[in-house]
Amino acid sequence: MSTAATTAAQLERLGGHLRKLRLLKSGERLEALLQHAAAQELPYADFLEQVLGEEVSAKAIKNIAMRTAMARFPFVKPLETFDFGYQPSVDKKQVHALASCHFIEHGDNVIVLGPPGVGKSHLAVSLGLKAIEAGYRVLFTTAANLIASLTKAHGEGRLEEKLKFYTMPRLLIIDEIGYLPIERLGANLFFQLISRRYERGPMILTSNQSFGAWGDVFGDRVIATAILDRLLHHAVTLNIRGNSYRLKEKLKAGLIRSHDDNSQPGGDI
Ligand code: ADP
Ligand code: MG
């Protein structure tokens, strides 16, 4: 349906212009916007502001969704879903300061340490999402996947290309350092990546092992020291010392089935 002043032919021409300009949201909403403007007798500037405003927010939402997909998060949980009350060793103020993304501008690293289930990956993902909202490109990987991918590329003579792939995103998140032992070649390739990003690209790293144990994680004290030396030069460390959130959920579930409950809380966390 067209408004009194808009002919079908004019609507079609307008639709064509909007498609050519890739103003897709405005294209979809054109008739409704025109009718609204006519009914409200909107001033020209208000009408234009409404059309352009809707287009800009639609593009921003699409852009965030695209960069979120490109980041390859294992799950998408915004910071607002993190229960700080359950984990008092996490400084809420400090995390909110990190959420402002100044650490990215400064090229600082964030290292999250703590036992399994305390929310390390959750915090890393949440901060990654904030970085995406702030306009940065983010990539999430686990230490195991990163090292496997570098090792494969090394074997195929494509190491340089792969190092570039991991150096390009403004923020790189490396989750789960320390869960699996790392071979000598893997440790060496990991070190090469850290050196590449050193003082250029900020990273968020998580580990269930204290820095003192990284010599064992990387199977080589010298390489571990060289890696830590670069990582910690400009870094904020969050040490989470609390109970597993998975355990909390298990206990809650356990309470519901308290009669025949023979599960072992914490057995597989
Ligand atoms: P970690 O990486 O330290 O092993 P995760 O971040 O994977 O732990 O957390 C385990 C699960 O518990 C996830 O589903 C996560 O979303 C949830 N979780 C952990 N801590 C919290 C918290 N403080 N508030 C809300 N959910 C949490
Ligand atoms: Mg984790």
Side-chain angles (χ1 to χ4, degrees):
M1 202 179 68
S2 58
T3 58
T6 321
T7 65
Q10 190 176 26
L11 258 184
E12 200 158 306
R13 283 199 304 279
L14 285 171
H17 292 328
L18 292 172
R19 271 195 300 281
K20 274 213 180 99
L21 292 169
R22 312 283 307 150
L23 301 176
L24 305 179
K25 182 78 184 170
S26 310
E28 273 168 37
R29 297 255 301 133
L30 181 60
E31 285 198 51
L33 290 169
L34 285 169
Q35 276 171 23
H36 173 77
Q40 303 289 313
E41 296 182 8
L42 283 190
Y44 300 124
D46 289 14
F47 171 68
L48 193 58
E49 186 179 350
Q50 188 181 14
V51 175
L52 297 182
E54 282 192 15
E55 188 66 46
V56 166
S57 10
K59 282 209 187 312
I61 289 169
K62 211 169 149 190
N63 193 276
I64 286 178
M66 195 187 71
R67 277 180 297 116
T68 303
M70 279 170 63
R72 304 186 192 172
F73 293 120
F75 51 79
V76 173
K77 290 193 182 180
L79 189 56
E80 291 68 29
T81 64
F82 191 83
D83 178 3
F84 286 91
Y86 185 75
Q87 221 56 271
S89 66
V90 179
D91 183 345
K92 189 174 175 176
K93 264 199 199 141
Q94 189 181 25
V95 173
H96 277 121
L98 291 171
S100 73
C101 295
H102 290 313
F103 77 97
I104 297 179
E105 280 149 51
H106 296 161
D108 294 346
N109 298 317
V110 176
I111 305 172
V112 189
L113 301 179
V118 293
K120 299 183 299 296
S121 302
H122 188 138
L123 280 178
V125 166
S126 297
L127 290 174
L129 287 168
K130 291 288 179 199
I132 285 174
E133 277 170 35
Y136 296 111
R137 261 195 61 194
V138 177
L139 181 66
F140 182 106
T141 183
T142 61
N145 282 344
L146 171 75
I147 288 169
S149 142
L150 290 176
T151 306
K152 182 164 178 279
H154 174 73
E156 295 167 352
R158 293 183 300 104
L159 180 62
E160 186 56 35
E161 190 187 309
K162 211 52 169 181
L163 284 171
K164 278 203 181 112
F165 173 79
Y166 287 112
T167 313
M168 211 99 81
R170 190 76 179 96
L171 176 67
L172 179 68
I173 302 175
I174 307 177
D175 199 20
E176 297 184 353
I177 295 172
Y179 280 100
L180 294 173
I182 299 168
E183 311 249 309
R184 171 167 282 276
L185 174 63
N188 199 301
L189 296 172
F190 189 87
F191 169 72
Q192 286 193 46
L193 177 68
I194 299 299
S195 297
R196 284 284 177 107
R197 290 194 67 99
Y198 177 57
E199 290 195 323
R200 265 174 283 164
M203 287 177 280
I204 299 178
L205 303 100
T206 82
S207 179
N208 62 328
Q209 303 286 345
S210 65
F211 294 135
W214 282 30
D216 293 333
V217 169
F218 286 95
D220 183 319
R221 203 153 290 281
V222 177
I223 285 198
T225 305
I227 289 170
L228 281 171
D229 185 55
R230 282 157 184 77
L231 285 182
L232 297 177
H233 188 189
H234 305 282
V236 177
T237 303
L238 305 180
N239 244 309
I240 312 182
R241 279 173 252 93
N243 289 322
S244 165
Y245 200 83
R246 293 189 190 109
L247 181 62
K248 174 191 161 168
E249 288 177 339
K250 273 195 167 187
L251 288 175
K252 242 174 38 189
L255 281 177
I256 296 162
R257 292 172 291 139
S258 56
H259 292 308
D260 59 351
D261 185 14
N262 57 5
S263 67
Q264 296 172 336
D268 66 345
I269 53 173

